[in-house]
Amino acid sequence: MAKVPASDEALASITAGTKDPAHMDMLEAADELALLAAAIAHHDKRYHGADDPAISDAVYDQLVARNRVLEASFPGLVRADSPSERVGSPATVGFGKVQHARPMLSLNNGFSDEDITDFVARVRRFLSLDNGDELALIAEPKIDGLSLSLRYESGCLTQAATRGDGSEGEDVTANIMQVDGIPKQLAGTPPVILEVRGEIYMDRVDFLALNEAQEASDGKLFANPRNAAAGSLRQKDASVTSGRNLRFFAYSMGECSSEIAPTHWDFLATLTSFGFAVNGLSARCLLVAELLETYKAIGDARATLSYDIDGVVYKVDRHDYQTRLGQVARAPRWALAHKFPAEQAQTIIRAIDIQVGRTGALTPVARLEPITVGGVVVSNATLHNEDEINRKDIRIGDTVVIQRAGDVIPQIVRVIADHRPPDSAEYQFPLFCPVCGADAIKPEGEAVRRCTNGVSCEAQRLEWLKHFVSRDAFDIEGLGARQIEQFSELGWVTVPADIFRLHDRQEEIATLDGYGETSIRNLMNSIETRRTIGLERFIYALGIRQVGQATARILALHYDNLERLLTAIAPAANNEAAAAELVEIDQVGALMASDIITFFLAPANRDMVIDLASEVTITPPDRPADDSPLSGKTIVFTGTLAAMSRAEAKARAESLGAKVSGSVSTKTNFLVAGADAGSKARKAGELGITVLNEDSWLALINV
Ligand code: IVH
């Protein structure tokens, strides 16, 4: 290891070496790379962090260039903290971002035995399996930690990233280099590129010891091992991570340059041979009954394990089946998390507060006598809505059973009637918005009472702005809920476009607590980064009722650009035709279409959208490769296909860029007619639409 001069003076004095790399050996090169990494980090900190550069830009550039030359000549010596990865980025803010080569998915949840039976039946149906066809699934513990993606190139760990939003995570390579249980160099003969995913977690004893040490040093206490693992991973100083005893179980694959196993079961065995820890409680099952037995066995073992688990994950074993099953939104069709039942406890309701949400919904929240449930202190529980309070007759002063499951907000299960104080009174739900005083209306048949004041209500406006900057929307680093509250209160941000005009308020921002030159520059930079935004995020960010991420993407793909959308749904347009066009899009129902149209017709919303669009650049949605013959085409399926289920056919068509519609119209490009096709085939014939039989369909998608 190179001796790195530690003092500021010594670091500042390092200059770029001149020796020809062709005449250097590995040790010499490693020493010089270590010095360069330390010196460049030192100058980065002075330049970006302290605004106090010690050397000229030209001398700094020489250090960086020398580092690149050495790295190019000795690729095996590129350091985890290599300056070439972060040159020019502010060294003092957060972690770098990593674009995942393949998205990191989450899991759908099941709770009951019936959910599991349905899942297996769904998978069998999708794959068109006959009763006699074997379907193996792997059941493995669901570790309660954080998912992590480890990238290996030629067997060498080159990058570690958190899940983040699934597409983009944080670069935690330097910290992961300090975790003993994670192999830095793989054994055996791994593929050239291999991303291994798994869960990083902390054992319960290590969590308890850490909290004791934190308490002794007046440090922050962690609520549970999962939070402790998260806090330990996201340390600016990697040496802190090193002392925290983090552990890792490997369980899935990201990018991989060559196939390493035909099944998940074999893949797990291969991971072990590469040097990873794989959970030993996993089992291969052929029947639903076996899955449920494994669930019970793992559940029984739960209390004796050294780490927390919160359920069992079932995964279809065969990789070719996994590929065919694909994913919906952010979760694979080939896996399901079977969660353990929620933990329960008793406490008292001290008060009921009403929160006003983004769409005006009044949500009652119970303020509780704090109580520990499953290792976490709970002091609030959601009461959902007015009907829920009435149905359970929940009153202030009641003793209640509460439960929490995983990250879900704690809920009230029931009231313990015997403990009710004699003077208790029924809870009166407010008929006016507690924030703006406007009427709060509960339409017949609906469970939710809503403030009728739209974004003129301060609470709705605030929640809407918070949604706008949230992770799946504009996701502006350094501009979260807290800053939005502050800027909104000061009147600096009242509509989304104001965010992109904050650069005119830098002097005012500088007067606020916690803002220095660097943090303002960082904030302005992150706002500028988001001035270019994809249409689907833009639409999602608008906070239209019922329009979540999936619908936003569907709308983005359908309209392609904002102008088309605003022309199709406009005061002067034929809005019946616009509604018909929306309903024609697969997965958009009549109610959703009506919410979308109402939103874009309201003059205040149109002005807001146009104002925002004038501040940002909107990019069209990414589409699947358009060299496919199905790209941009509208396709309708009818009748029964023998080789694949309707669901698989639909998923295939969509992944090749087609729109799948439920009914034949003049916009239909192809009708795929399986056995027993009926009226749709006749209608297609009348309209002169190309009708494909199953063989032609399979040929079209290359099966
Ligand atoms: S598989 C595409 N397996 O659960 C498959 N996830 O609720 C993705 N998790 O984000 C995950 N144990 O952090 C898988 N054995 C296991 C797991 C597991 C824990 C976590 C993981 C994931 C989350 C989803």
Side-chain angles (χ1 to χ4, degrees), residues 105-107 140-143 147 163 199 251 313 315 332 334:
L105 303 177
S106 58
L107 294 169
E140 50 190 62
K142 185 168 186 304
I143 316 298
S147 46
R163 177 172 181 276
E199 203 82 351
Y251 55 61
V313 185
K315 299 176 181 171
W334 47 264

Side-chain angles (χ1 to χ4, degrees), residues 1-2 21 24-37 66-85 153-154 156-158 177 185:
M1 236 3 215
M24 290 170 83
D25 64 25
M26 299 259 286
L27 275 180
E28 254 181 304
D31 277 359
E32 196 182 331
L33 281 167
L35 288 178
L36 286 166
R66 174 68 179 169
N67 187 72
R68 277 199 205 288
V69 168
L70 284 184
E71 285 186 344
S73 310
F74 297 93
L77 295 181
V78 174
R79 300 166 57 89
D81 62 351
S82 161
S84 52
E85 294 299 318
E153 293 179 10
S154 305
C156 190
L157 177 60
T158 55
M177 288 293 172
Q185 179 70 51

Side-chain angles (χ1 to χ4, degrees), residues 534-545:
L535 181 60
E536 53 211 274
R537 271 186 188 260
F538 184 96
I539 295 175
Y540 173 72
L542 296 177
I544 307 165
R545 221 167 128 184

Side-chain angles (χ1 to χ4, degrees), residues 143-337:
I143 316 298
D144 200 4
L146 303 114
S147 46
L148 189 72
S149 186
L150 302 170
R151 187 176 175 87
Y152 292 85
E153 293 179 10
S154 305
C156 190
L157 177 60
T158 55
Q159 191 167 59
T162 62
R163 177 172 181 276
D165 64 4
S167 325
E168 187 180 81
E170 282 184 328
D171 185 341
V172 289
T173 316
N175 305 54
I176 287 303
M177 288 293 172
Q178 305 297 325
V179 177
D180 279 346
I182 291 183
K184 315 296 175 302
Q185 179 70 51
L186 300 184
T189 45
V192 179
I193 303 287
L194 173 66
E195 282 181 8
V196 171
R197 283 150 185 196
E199 203 82 351
I200 186 147
Y201 66 97
M202 190 181 278
D203 266 353
R204 289 193 197 115
V205 282
D206 292 324
F207 154 70
L208 293 173
L210 171 62
N211 261 1
E212 262 175 41
Q214 294 286 100
E215 196 161 13
S217 62
D218 280 336
K220 176 180 174 230
L221 292 190
F222 296 103
N224 50 42
R226 183 178 188 278
N227 288 1
S232 303
L233 182 62
R234 296 188 81 265
Q235 287 289 334
K236 296 262 173 66
D237 177 357
S239 68
V240 177
T241 309
S242 154
R244 294 281 175 90
N245 246 348
L246 292 174
R247 292 163 204 271
F248 181 76
F249 278 128
Y251 55 61
S252 81
M253 188 164 68
E255 190 182 353
C256 183
S257 56
S258 57
E259 167 90 29
I260 47 178
T263 63
H264 183 58
W265 193 241
D266 293 342
F267 170 68
L268 293 177
T270 313
L271 285 180
T272 314
S273 76
F274 289 158
F276 289 98
V278 168
N279 194 288
L281 298 172
S282 306
R284 186 170 185 273
C285 307
L286 294 176
L287 303 168
V288 172
E290 287 171 7
L291 293 175
L292 299 176
E293 272 164 34
T294 311
Y295 173 77
K296 177 150 191 331
I298 294 178
D300 289 345
R302 186 179 184 192
T304 66
L305 300 177
S306 56
Y307 46 87
D308 281 355
I309 61 174
D310 57 351
V312 175
V313 185
Y314 306 131
K315 299 176 181 171
V316 169
D317 193 25
R318 278 175 56 165
H319 280 164
D320 59 337
Y321 282 175
Q322 290 188 1
T323 310
R324 282 176 58 192
L325 284 155
Q327 67 191 70
V328 203
R330 292 162 162 227
R333 278 197 196 84
W334 47 264
L336 187 77

